[in-house]
Amino acid sequence: MIWQLDLILLLFVLICAIGALTVKDLLGAVIILGAYSFFMCILWTEMGAVDVAFTEAAVGAGIGTVLFIAAVSKTKRRSKD
Amino acid sequence: MIIKRTIDMTKQSDDVIVKTLSRLLIPFMQIYALYVIAHGHYSPGGGFQGGVILGASIILLVITYGLDNALRKMSERLNTILCSTGVLIYAGIGLLCLILGGNYLDYAELDQILHVGIAQARSLGILGVEVGVGVTVMAGMISIFLDIATGGLPSGKIEGLRD
């Protein structure tokens, strides 16, 4: 593992996490959460945990995003707080 | 302020690019999912991941071709039956090992009925369990998505509520 690459990826993960929490548009927040999952997946692949990365890509970035979008489509798109 | 709902995930898409692309993509997704399940015991992947990818292919069908067309391929009745069948396969293989005189899920005992050698019997046993997990996870994912996207209503009653 290369610690410089780890650090850059962790920075991206942190940016995506803060972005998903602060964005007012809920659909945008879901897409940023998908990007977070994707960076997490790359980070795990880089650290050698391929099985965990596979699960993260399938569940976190794949099914999770679809379920969140389905939930957002049942409510209002903009959050009030 | 009233914001109109812009997404309806169970309506058929009227974009020809989206429909053609998903029609081309779904068979390859399913083949890949079967590959992941079949190679789960000696490479990354397995029943859970393969089942999620299989479920995602049916969910893609619901999003692009609409709920009615997708339910014609995969009815909720079939979905419920598959969800239970997977658990039955998993628990059945475990109980079969118990009946044959070993511990629960001790695949070496399957050699008595398969006659292929203990190592091969263990490999086939874990493959059967992976298939059971895959079937259950696929049905579970589709069921969760349909419940969220339709609000838990039966498929006949959604049309009247759509604004």
Side-chain angles (χ1 to χ4, degrees), chain A:
Chain A
M1 52 189 268
I2 314 157
W3 71 267
Q4 290 95 339
L5 187 60
D6 277 357
L7 209 62
I8 294 169
L9 283 172
L10 268 175
L11 195 68
F12 274 121
V13 166
L14 207 64
I15 290 170
C16 286
I18 293 170
L21 282 175
T22 49
V23 163
K24 294 280 181 227
D25 188 358
L26 288 179
L27 191 62
V30 170
I31 301 299
I32 296 172
L33 205 63
Y36 167 88
S37 274
F38 184 65
F39 280 120
M40 211 66 204
C41 167
I42 299 175
L43 191 60
W44 264 319
T45 314
E46 204 270 325
M47 286 176 157
V50 187
D51 209 2
V52 184
F54 203 142
T55 312
E56 181 74 39
V59 179
I63 292 284
T65 309
V66 173
L67 290 184
F68 274 127
I69 290 177
V72 169
S73 75
K74 288 279 134 195
T75 176
K76 288 199 181 124
R77 193 171 154 180
R78 221 153 259 287
S79 100
K80 287 209 177 94
D81 51 330

Side-chain angles (χ1 to χ4, degrees), chain B residues 129-149:
Chain B
V129 166
E130 299 269 10
V131 169
V133 172
V135 169
T136 297
V137 169
M138 176 198 73
M141 288 298 160
I142 297 169
S143 175
I144 293 171
F145 174 75
L146 287 184
D147 275 352
I148 293 179

Side-chain angles (χ1 to χ4, degrees), chain B residues 55-76:
Chain B
S57 71
I58 304 287
I59 289 175
L60 185 63
L61 194 69
V62 176
I63 293 173
T64 52
Y65 276 82
L67 185 66
D68 301 332
N69 285 325
L71 283 184
R72 218 169 288 142
K73 302 266 183 215
M74 183 85 176
S75 67
E76 284 185 88

Side-chain angles (χ1 to χ4, degrees), chain B residues 94-145:
Chain B
L95 281 177
L96 195 61
C97 302
L98 205 62
I99 290 168
L100 290 172
N103 290 319
Y104 188 71
L105 290 176
D106 183 5
Y107 310 119
E109 305 295 332
L110 290 175
D111 186 36
Q112 296 171 30
I113 47 172
L114 292 174
H115 303 297
V116 284
I118 286 179
Q120 185 70 18
R122 279 189 197 279
S123 177
L124 288 174
I126 191 73
L127 181 64
V129 166
E130 299 269 10
V131 169
V133 172
V135 169
T136 297
V137 169
M138 176 198 73
M141 288 298 160
I142 297 169
S143 175
I144 293 171
F145 174 75

